Amino acid sequence: MRVLQGIAVSPGVAMAKAMVVDDQQPRVTRRFISRANVDAELRRLTVAMDMVAEQIQASQQEVATELGDEYGAIFSAHLQMVRDEKLNESLIDSIRYRHYTAEYAVSQSLARYIQFFERVPNPFLRERAGDFRDIEQRLLNVLFGADSKRRLAANHPSIVLARDLTPSEMANLDRGNIRGIVTEVGGPGSHSAIVAEALELPAVVGVGPHLREIQTDTMLIIDGHQGRVIVQPDEETIARYEQEVEQQKQTKIRLRSLRDLPAVTTDGETITLMANIEFPHEADACLERGASGVGLYRTEFLYLGQDSEPTEEDHYQVYAKVVHDMQGSPIVIRTLDLGADKIYGDSHTPESNPFLGLRSIRLSLRNTDQFRLQLRAILRASVLGDVRVMFPLVSTLHELRQAKMLLSDLMEDLDEQGIDYDRNLKVGIMVEVPASVVMLDRFAQEIDFISIGTNDLVQYTLAVDRNNPDVAALYNSCDPAVLRLIQMAVDSAKKANIEVTLCGQMGGNPVYTMLLIGMGLRSLSVTPSAIPEIKQICRTVSAEKCQELAVRVRDMDNAWEIKRLLRENLRQLFPDEV
């Protein structure tokens, strides 16, 4: 038995035999054409480009139909690449002046793009190499007359193993027998990860070149919670995971009955359970799971995969839909939380460390035209229900004040135009860097609420890139330094009498629920699917017992021992489910 560690991008457990997928890229040799055949070869290229554009549009429609327009928008970027003027000039020049065949021109030109993006230090830009690889494969398939629509299918339960999977391959995935996905490269923001989570397929990425040593039909277990791939598991491990899978099925069935019940501890403390969402249609999942509202509405997909930046009306329409669908429940809209590399792509100078660069509130304050559009739309939507605005990655009071000043200016503009908005709009910040925790007593004087974003707080506290498999083991939410910062944030918020919510992945992990309650948190925002299980724990424990656990943890200085203690306490509550 062998255990490989990767990055967990889609939760769940899958047990099946491996289906190893190679690139299946047609082999291209260096060949030339005569001068007399140049025009004919250019026509072949044009036909191929048009056919690939049609394929991409078809993939976009298929994905949009099954998962929603937001997921289909992933292919808009591919269509834009196919029509890219520089790429087309490069292909035409290779045929017209170097007399390359269309196949070799495609192979050479796309290889330069792929190699460039594979070498850049920016992890988000590196993911674009897969997009260009997808286009290259499509073009070569058309030119060689090969199957232009490879369908990943299996005649028995299988786990797909690949160096990477292109968006088109993910779109053509046979969900009948494909039980999970493992890739050598990639990160949480990759298109494959996004689609895998939408399909609710367990997925682990960034495992590294170890996959090349695994043969088709090798027995595998992938743990999409811990980011583990277990190769040729022994009988004991198989039995343990089989039991876990069965327990998860039974638990899901039983937890459905909790949807309309409150999350109240046995000694009467109410825990507000809200949902994190990315797309408007996810409001349905929130209601199905009994969410008390949307504690984190990510707005990034308004910007990704689009041919142009979203308009004010684009923003307003999606916000209005969520407010309407959530039927009066509170909606916390987070402003843009992306880096400049994601918005501006090639036109932005690559940053050596994008996590410490121009991103989130910094980018919004630099690009105030777009920021104003988003804030105006939020203000307009605020009269439709309980809408709140939250600024991400705020690290200084100056940033907060700049953002609030823009918001105030827009309120005056709307007043002059006779456009209604909520004049008592609540304003909050994401607490996700140590600086904001340390200065929270001052921040609290100028805001209405905070939301602790544990994903980034862990990363910045421990100086660990959570997308880097080489240091993934150091990323630990149980680290005493992280727990102290969370406690400081909760205490500061309570002292200032402002609302505090925790919205990172830590909040959706049942292992931490008792500890978080014991630390004083009374509001959690998690993925909709996690709500029933977290609610079950809340209704089973007393806040007093949770506080006793938090006191014990406070005296511990080893992250692994803390995690073991938390697991043991959860096991005592639910011995048949943990």
Side-chain angles (χ1 to χ4, degrees):
M1 185 174 79
R2 185 181 179 194
V3 179
L4 305 178
Q5 183 66 52
I7 301 170
V9 295
S10 185
V13 172
M15 304 174 59
K17 291 184 177 180
M19 183 175 81
V20 180
V21 178
D22 60 31
D23 290 340
Q24 289 193 354
Q25 193 83 302
R27 190 170 183 178
V28 182
T29 56
R30 186 176 183 182
R31 293 180 56 199
F32 297 92
I33 57 172
S34 65
R35 184 174 300 176
N37 289 329
V38 166
D39 289 340
E41 201 69 5
L42 287 172
R43 285 194 294 272
R44 285 186 69 226
L45 176 66
T46 300
V47 169
M49 297 291 277
D50 290 341
M51 289 182 66
V52 167
E54 291 176 4
Q55 292 172 12
I56 293 173
Q57 289 175 321
S59 294
Q60 181 176 7
Q61 184 59 46
E62 289 173 8
V63 172
T65 299
E66 181 173 1
L67 301 178
D69 292 337
E70 297 82 2
Y71 290 96
I74 288 173
F75 291 94
S76 296
H78 287 207
L79 196 60
Q80 194 173 10
M81 291 175 191
V82 171
R83 298 305 187 195
D84 181 74
E85 187 176 340
K86 289 183 179 179
L87 174 60
N88 278 267
E89 286 179 358
S90 174
L91 293 170
I92 291 170
D93 288 350
S94 293
I95 296 172
R96 187 181 300 281
Y97 301 114
R98 298 185 181 182
H99 294 178
Y100 287 163
T101 61
E103 291 86 348
Y104 192 65
V106 166
S107 177
Q108 289 295 297
S109 295
L110 271 298
R112 287 195 295 271
Y113 281 84
I114 294 168
Q115 290 168 7
F116 170 79
F117 284 107
E118 285 181 334
R119 289 197 302 265
V120 297
N122 188 318
F124 292 122
L125 283 176
R126 280 202 301 272
E127 290 169 5
R128 294 197 62 185
D131 297 331
F132 281 104
R133 193 176 292 110
D134 190 15
I135 293 171
E136 178 190 21
Q137 182 172 304
R138 284 180 183 269
L139 284 169
L140 291 178
N141 282 337
V142 171
L143 290 167
F144 277 110
D147 181 9
S148 62
K149 189 176 181 180
R150 180 169 69 159
R151 182 171 176 81
L152 294 179
N155 54 17
H156 57 80
S158 301
I159 293 173
V160 173
L161 274 71
R163 182 183 182 278
D164 196 9
L165 291 175
T166 66
S168 61
E169 289 168 335
M170 290 296 296
N172 294 321
L173 200 68
D174 174 18
R175 296 177 62 185
N177 279 315
I178 302 301
R179 301 297 167 82
I181 296 167
V182 182
T183 63
E184 293 184 357
V185 300
S190 67
H191 293 156
S192 297
I194 292 169
V195 176
E197 189 169 20
L199 294 173
E200 297 186 2
L201 281 174
V204 177
V205 302
V207 175
H210 306 291
L211 296 184
R212 299 170 191 173
E213 305 165 11
I214 301 172
Q215 303 297 316
T216 291
D217 289 336
T218 300
M219 184 62 189
L220 297 178
I221 298 175
I222 64 173
D223 187 335
H225 302 287
Q226 303 296 326
R228 293 173 184 155
V229 180
I230 304 172
V231 184
Q232 293 181 325
D234 55 32
E235 292 184 4
E236 180 182 352
T237 302
I238 292 175
R240 177 163 54 87
Y241 273 100
E242 283 179 341
Q243 184 179 11
E244 180 177 336
V245 170
E246 183 58 31
Q247 287 173 349
Q248 288 177 354
K249 290 180 182 177
Q250 297 302 319
T251 298
K252 283 183 179 180
I253 294 172
R254 181 170 48 78
L255 291 180
R256 289 173 188 166
S257 63
L258 298 179
R259 187 186 72 173
D260 299 322
L261 298 177
V264 180
T265 63
T266 57
D267 52 356
E269 288 286 338
T270 298
I271 312 300
T272 301
L273 297 182
M274 305 178 77
N276 301 335
I277 67 170
E278 295 198 40
F279 307 112
H281 69 266
E282 290 183 272
D284 293 338
C286 297
L287 297 175
E288 288 174 6
R289 273 29 181 260
S292 298
V294 174
L296 174 60
Y297 181 14
R298 303 181 180 98
T299 59
E300 286 70 55
F301 261 81
L302 280 163
Y303 297 83
L304 295 176
Q306 306 297 329
D307 296 331
S308 59
E309 292 183 338
T311 65
E312 178 184 330
E313 194 61 25
D314 292 333
H315 282 282
Y316 175 76
Q317 290 298 330
V318 296
Y319 303 156
K321 174 175 172 51
V322 172
V323 174
H324 174 268
D325 291 349
M326 288 303 296
Q327 305 170 12
S329 299
I331 314 292
V332 179
I333 301 175
R334 184 180 68 185
T335 59
L336 177 67
D337 189 21
L338 284 176
D341 54 298
K342 279 286 190 179
I343 302 299
Y344 303 115
D346 298 341
S347 63
H348 173 67
T349 303
E351 297 175 315
S352 59
N353 194 335
F355 295 111
L356 301 180
L358 186 60
R359 58 170 293 203
S360 304
I361 193 64
R362 301 169 183 174
L363 178 61
S364 293
L365 292 172
R366 181 76 65 88
N367 184 22
T368 54
D369 288 343
Q370 265 295 316
F371 196 25
R372 289 172 68 91
L373 291 181
Q374 182 169 28
L375 292 178
R376 271 182 63 96
I378 293 172
L379 284 169
R380 288 172 54 199
S382 67
V383 296
L384 304 176
D386 186 356
V387 173
R388 308 168 188 187
V389 64
M390 181 166 64
F391 304 123
L393 203 74
V394 175
S395 56
T396 68
L397 280 164
H398 181 62
E399 290 171 338
L400 172 62
R401 289 166 180 165
Q402 281 184 293
K404 289 185 66 180
M405 187 179 299
L406 272 176
L407 192 64
S408 180
D409 289 344
L410 289 169
M411 288 179 174
E412 292 181 6
D413 291 344
L414 293 178
D415 283 334
E416 292 176 1
Q417 297 169 28
I419 299 174
D420 199 13
Y421 62 91
D422 181 3
R423 286 164 174 76
N424 297 312
L425 176 72
K426 290 185 177 181
V427 176
I429 63 170
M430 290 276 288
V431 173
E432 46 196 337
V433 295
S436 60
V437 178
V438 173
M439 292 295 292
L440 195 53
D441 61 326
R442 299 297 298 274
F443 279 111
Q445 298 174 24
E446 305 185 28
I447 55 178
D448 301 297
F449 67 92
I450 65 168
S451 191
I452 303 172
T454 55
N455 297 359
D456 272 338
L457 185 60
V458 175
Q459 174 172 253
Y460 290 123
T461 301
L462 302 179
V464 174
D465 177 359
R466 58 194 174 104
N467 295 330
N468 185 340
D470 293 330
V471 293
L474 300 176
Y475 182 90
N476 195 326
S477 300
C478 281
D479 190 276
V482 174
L483 298 181
R484 286 191 182 190
L485 286 173
I486 293 174
Q487 188 68 69
M488 287 173 61
V490 173
D491 292 345
S492 294
K494 288 193 170 184
K495 185 176 181 180
N497 197 30
I498 64 172
E499 299 175 32
V500 55
T501 297
L502 186 139
C503 66
Q505 290 179 333
M506 188 177 179
N509 189 332
V511 170
Y512 300 109
T513 303
M514 290 180 64
L515 174 62
L516 295 176
I517 294 174
M519 295 171 76
L521 279 154
R522 295 296 179 266
S523 178
L524 302 174
S525 189
V526 303
T527 56
S529 60
I531 289 175
E533 189 171 6
I534 302 301
K535 182 181 288 188
Q536 175 187 228
I537 296 171
C538 294
R539 292 177 56 84
T540 307
V541 300
S542 68
E544 182 180 1
K545 182 176 180 180
C546 294
Q547 289 164 5
E548 293 172 357
L549 174 63
V551 170
R552 289 184 62 187
V553 168
R554 201 174 302 154
D555 294 332
M556 301 173 70
D557 58 10
N558 184 292
W560 308 112
E561 291 179 1
I562 293 173
K563 189 72 168 283
R564 188 181 303 115
L565 174 64
L566 298 182
R567 288 186 181 280
E568 180 56 35
N569 273 265
L570 186 61
R571 187 175 293 110
Q572 290 175 11
L573 281 180
F574 308 103
D576 296 330
E577 298 179 15
V578 180

